[in-house]
Structures are given as structure tokens and as C-alpha cells.
Amino acid sequence: MTTMAPLDAALGARAGTRRFALFALFLVSAFNYIDRTIVSLLQIPIKTELQLTDGQLGALTGLAFALFYATLSLPIARLADRFSRRWLIVLSLAVWSAMTALCGLATSFTMLVLFRIGVAIGEAGSVPASVSLIADYYPPQRRATAMATWGLALPAGLMAGYAGTGWLAEALGWRLAFAVVGGAGLLLAPLVLAMLTEPRRGSFEIGSAALPPAPPLIDALGILWRTRAFRYVVIAGMLHGFSQYAMMTWNAPFFARTHGLSLGTVALLMALLSGGAGAVGMFASGWLTDRLAARDARWRVWIMAAVVGLTVPLALVQYLTRSTPIAIGAATLAAATMIAYYGPILAATQSATPPTMRAFGNAVLLLCFNLFGLGLGPWLTGLLSDLLVPQAGDDALRFALAIMLVPSTLAALLFLYAARFFTPAGQLRETQDGAGRDA
């Protein structure tokens, strides 16, 4: 195995460039999550003004966004595997920021849905291209840490989104809050363009100087499907994503309705949970994964099984206890474990994907994760909450969220099963029919 010291020497000339680029990608991703978070929090005043049901709110924050975000990520990722990822990221940022600003003009559910679809179209091009760039900036031995560092944009974006949106909504109203956040993203776009460079694809892979072109779509899908480790890890991530997005979308309304917290208090609580506990859990898991995987590559998957498995009992306590302090304490721990799988799953899938398919491989992960998780998790939670009102009354949302933890339980078990297809040394296994390979 390559030691860290020679690795540092080999990459010394590029160290500053890749750290600068990682910071730029961090900023883009943070705005990505700020723009998603703003609807999750503002659904409280939006529901009142536009007179929406929980089912409509679930469709707005989940299904309507995810259908376009997930499906368009595939064709846009194909562009990222062929053309400039740098320009694609900047254009994506500009488009979704403009659409976020326009959300403040919505006067009906239909208009708000159309603007959120515009946000989804813009955001679809950002993540696959960013993950592909990071995989070419950092070697396999450091990818989980790099991905987790970049992934800190999730808790940072959620923290900024909740705290900033709560303040803006109370000071200016929900419509101007959309305008301010969208305008800030537009100002960031030219700065990101100046900060990013385009590295050579497959920089750390043997023989990458003469990489073959990206395979046709059907062939690329076949390669990914025959990679059993990739297949099972993606399915497990998809299951956990269902529960994760249900929690992320409905936690703010849960604390407001069930525990009677004000909008400002909920905003501060969500910011601290996401930006504090979430950030610690995400970075710690990425750092720990790189170190444990140096001894046995299966730790990349075992870590994911552990943190996802811990999330379920912690979240059950959060939703079922009548005590507000206990609910907040459990939510803090659940926030740390819920997204701790993020760095490891990106590192594992990127290392198992050929260099000319990395953006596409990430897009497939996003398609499954977001279509099932983001698309169905919040929406079905809202529908179930509406259905439980006659029996549970004010506790309907509490019980709906508890039920939505079942997929995460299945995900933890499937992550354990996926570890069978990783060797201790990280070598690729052959598939059962010998037609492909596994990581």
C-alpha cells in the first residue's frame, strides 16, 4: 500500500489547487442544501397562506422535486463524463438560484411546484460533476475523507438554511426569504468559475493516460449492475434515503406541532442539529473509514451499516417520547448518525466505478436515492400523517415518522450483506456468472 508521506510528496504541487477546488465545491453544495432546506422550513407559513394539505407539502418538498432532479441527473451526468465539469457546475448553480428566487412570486401550489421543478433541473447537474471532480483531485486512499469534507456542505447548508431562513422569514416574510437566498447563489456563480480547474480524468488510476471513451448508456448500466457491491450499496442507500428525507423534511413541523416550539426556536434547533451534530457525524465517519479501510476495505460498508442501524432506535425515541428535552437529545444523536454514511458511500461507489463513468455512476446512485428517498419519503409521510389524523389527532405526524423508519432498518441489514462482496484488501471480485466484477 502507498504510504501517506510519498503520496504527499507526489501530490505536493497540486495540494493547494485541490484544496481550493474542494472549498469551491463545498460552497456550491452548501447552497444546494440551503435551497432545499428553505422549503422545508418555510412550509410552515406557506401552508397557512396557500392553504395546503400535508400531502401537498410532501409532494412539493419531495416528489415534484425528486422526479426531475433524479431523472435529469442521468443525461446531465453523461455530459459531465464528456465535457467540462467546471462549466456544468457553474451553470447549474446559476439556474437553480434563479428558480429559488422566483419561488417568492408563487401565488398557488401549482406555481410553487413549477418553480421547484426549475430548481431541481438546475441542481441535477451539480452533484455528479462535483463527485467526479473530487475523485480526480484525490487518490483512493483519501477519497472517503475528501468526500466527507465536501459532504460537510450538507450539515453546513442545512444549518445556514435553517438559521438564515428562520431569521429572514420572521424579518422579511417567506417571499423575500426566497429572493435573498436565490440572489446570493447567483452572486456566487462567477466566483466558483474562477476557483475551479478541470483535472485530468482518472488521475490516480493505472493506465489513465490512455483512458477509453465513456461506454454507451446500456453498456454503462450493465457494468454497474454486474458490480454487485455497487448494486447492493446503492439499494441500501436508497432505502435509508427514504427514512432520511422523511426525517429531514418533517422534523421542523414535528417539533412545531408536537412540542409547541415557535418558528424561530425550531429554526435554531434544526440549525444546531444539522450543522453541529450532523457535521461531527459526517466528518468522523469519513475520517474513520479511511483509516479502518486501510486494514480491511470492508469497513467502508460496515461503517455504513453501523451508523444507519444506530439511527433507527435514536429516531424512535425522538418521535415517541413525550418529553421535549429527551426528544431534542435523541434528535441530536440521530442527526449525527443519520448522514454519517455519506462520505463512505460516495467513496465506495466512486472507487468501484471506472474513471470515465464516475459522474454517471454517481448519477445512478442519486437517481435511486432521490427518486425513492427524496421523492417518496416526504410525500408518503405527509399522506400517512393525513390518514392517521382521525385516529391519532395531533399525534398523527409523530406516528407517521416512526413508521417511516422501517426502510432504514432494512438498509442496515443490506449494507452488512454488501460487505460480502468486498475483499479485505479491496480487490475486485468476479460476479457469480463471471460476466463482470465487484468491488
Side-chain angles (χ1 to χ4, degrees):
M1 176 180 294
T2 304
T3 62
M4 289 299 181
L7 189 60
D8 283 332
L11 299 178
R14 296 181 52 205
T17 299
R18 55 195 172 92
R19 292 189 189 114
F20 201 55
L22 187 62
F23 178 66
L25 295 175
F26 173 91
L27 291 176
V28 173
S29 186
F31 267 82
N32 184 319
Y33 291 109
I34 289 172
D35 285 1
R36 295 193 205 182
T37 302
I38 190 170
V39 175
S40 177
L41 185 62
L42 292 182
Q43 64 177 300
I44 299 172
I46 289 173
K47 178 179 182 178
T48 301
E49 182 171 332
L50 300 185
Q51 298 182 353
L52 306 182
T53 66
D54 279 354
Q56 287 176 310
L57 288 174
L60 175 67
T61 55
L63 186 62
F65 181 91
L67 281 174
F68 289 86
Y69 176 72
T71 55
L72 287 175
S73 65
L74 287 179
I76 296 177
R78 298 285 287 175
L79 295 177
D81 281 330
R82 289 168 168 79
F83 302 106
S84 172
R85 294 164 286 186
R86 169 175 171 255
W87 272 103
L88 184 59
I89 290 168
V90 172
L91 290 175
S92 296
L93 172 61
V95 169
W96 90 59
S97 297
M99 291 295 111
T100 295
L102 289 174
C103 286
L105 300 178
T107 56
S108 67
F109 173 71
T110 301
M111 285 184 66
L112 199 51
V113 166
L114 290 176
F115 289 139
R116 290 304 294 171
I117 289 174
V119 174
I121 293 172
E123 291 189 3
S126 171
V127 175
S130 296
V131 171
S132 177
L133 278 178
I134 294 171
D136 285 336
Y137 281 128
Y138 289 87
Q141 300 95 322
R142 292 188 176 174
R143 277 182 193 150
T145 301
M147 295 292 184
T149 302
W150 172 70
L152 288 175
L154 170 55
L158 294 179
M159 179 175 66
Y162 281 124
T165 300
W167 180 83
L168 287 171
E170 290 191 331
L172 304 174
W174 67 269
R175 295 184 181 279
L176 283 179
F178 275 117
V180 170
V181 172
L186 287 171
L187 293 176
L188 177 64
L191 178 62
V192 171
L193 181 63
M195 295 173 70
L196 286 179
T197 58
E198 186 77 21
R200 182 165 56 87
R201 297 181 192 271
S203 301
F204 300 99
E205 275 65 36
I206 298 174
S208 61
L211 288 174
L217 176 63
I218 299 301
D219 292 345
L221 289 172
I223 292 171
L224 294 178
W225 178 256
R226 290 193 298 271
T227 307
R228 288 180 295 182
F230 182 92
R231 184 168 78 225
Y232 293 127
V233 165
V234 167
I235 295 172
M238 177 180 71
L239 289 169
H240 179 58
F242 182 96
S243 303
Q244 175 189 338
Y245 273 113
M247 295 169 66
M248 290 171 60
T249 301
W250 289 101
N251 269 348
F254 164 76
F255 277 106
R257 297 183 198 178
T258 305
H259 295 280
L261 302 184
S262 67
L263 177 61
T265 302
V266 168
L268 179 60
L269 175 61
M270 294 298 102
L272 293 175
L273 292 181
S274 302
V280 170
M282 179 176 289
F283 185 78
S285 68
W287 179 87
L288 186 62
T289 296
D290 273 345
R291 274 137 190 86
L292 293 177
R295 306 173 188 174
D296 190 327
R298 291 172 294 186
W299 275 107
R300 293 171 182 164
V301 191
W302 288 336
I303 287 287
M304 291 188 277
V307 295
V308 170
L310 281 172
T311 300
V312 175
L314 292 171
L316 280 174
V317 172
Q318 172 189 341
Y319 296 130
L320 298 181
T321 183
R322 296 287 178 180
S323 167
T324 299
I326 293 177
I328 292 175
T332 301
L333 296 176
T337 59
M338 178 180 65
I339 59 175
Y341 74 104
Y342 195 77
I345 198 172
L346 291 177
T349 53
Q350 285 292 288
S351 295
T353 306
T356 54
M357 287 176 50
R358 280 183 174 148
F360 182 72
N362 181 256
V364 170
L365 172 64
L366 289 180
L367 174 66
C368 299
F369 181 82
N370 287 302
L371 198 57
F372 185 77
L374 177 58
L376 296 182
W379 180 48
L380 292 182
T381 303
L383 291 178
L384 184 58
S385 176
D386 286 337
L387 289 173
L388 291 175
V389 167
Q391 293 79 26
D394 293 340
D395 286 330
L397 182 57
R398 175 202 300 272
F399 294 129
L401 283 165
I403 293 170
M404 291 301 156
L405 294 172
V406 172
S408 279
T409 305
L410 300 176
L413 297 175
L414 192 55
F415 276 130
L416 285 177
Y417 180 74
R420 295 180 55 191
F421 305 104
F422 283 76
T423 66
Q427 300 298 317
L428 301 179
R429 294 185 189 272
E430 293 184 358
T431 56
Q432 292 177 351
D433 59 9
R437 64 179 188 172
D438 284 352

